[in-house]
Amino acid sequence: MPFDPEHWLEAAAVCCIEIPEVDREALLRTALNRAYYAALLSFKSRIEAVQGRGAVPERRTHEAIYHAVGAAGYTFMDSYRVLRELRRRREAADYVLDRGSPAFREADDAVRQSRWLIRTRIKALPDAEFRRLDVRRT
């Protein structure tokens, strides 16, 4: 059975806890990263479960999923907004190293948003909604 990316949320939640002798900032940045990738790769898994393996390209995966979800209309509007916000937070955590540590609240909120997205949209919407996604292979 393939790995379920939702399990990364467990790791992300642990990263929100203070762990002695482990840098707090590194943990919070990791939580933001895992929260985003849990959602993104849950989308990938669900799309490929419905449209077939390889439906999402190996290269430019982020953009392919973003385009498909963003162009899908009303059903995916809130999913697109949450995924975009998770990506913004992940990019800041990964690339903007001089802004100081992310706050616990920001990381914890990202984990909760990702869990909501996965459970109430990605895993809950009918297959028909994922069949109609136009995933570009550019």
Side-chain angles (χ1 to χ4, degrees):
M1 187 164 180
F3 177 73
D4 181 351
E6 186 178 358
H7 292 304
W8 272 326
L9 294 178
E10 297 164 16
V14 169
C15 288
C16 290
I17 300 169
E18 287 194 40
I19 301 173
E21 299 183 32
V22 179
D23 185 80
R24 179 80 170 139
E25 183 174 348
L27 288 170
L28 294 173
R29 289 176 184 276
T30 299
L32 290 163
N33 182 289
R34 292 299 89 194
Y36 168 70
Y37 279 105
L40 180 80
L41 295 176
S42 289
F43 261 119
K44 181 180 186 288
S45 293
R46 184 69 196 278
I47 292 166
E48 290 189 336
V50 173
Q51 294 188 14
R53 189 162 190 239
V56 178
E58 287 185 29
R59 293 179 182 228
R60 303 191 54 85
T61 300
H62 300 253
E63 288 74 19
I65 292 171
Y66 262 60
H67 178 269
V69 174
Y74 182 76
T75 302
F76 286 93
M77 190 178 310
D78 56 352
S79 298
Y80 177 74
R81 286 185 189 137
V82 171
L83 188 62
R84 186 179 63 209
E85 177 62 17
L86 290 169
R87 185 178 187 178
R88 184 196 63 74
R89 289 178 173 184
R90 193 272 307 171
E91 288 176 344
D94 285 352
Y95 303 120
V96 184
L97 303 179
D98 61 353
R99 76 172 177 127
S101 179
F104 162 79
R105 185 178 186 153
E106 181 182 9
D108 185 61
D109 185 53
V111 172
R112 282 188 281 109
Q113 282 184 321
S114 184
R115 184 174 287 116
W116 174 86
L117 179 58
I118 292 167
R119 292 183 180 175
T120 68
R121 296 300 185 268
I122 299 169
K123 290 184 175 180
L125 287 171
D127 287 353
E129 296 296 340
F130 285 88
R131 257 186 230 103
R132 68 183 188 81
L133 290 179
D134 179 23
V135 182
R136 295 192 175 171
R137 300 191 54 79
T138 55

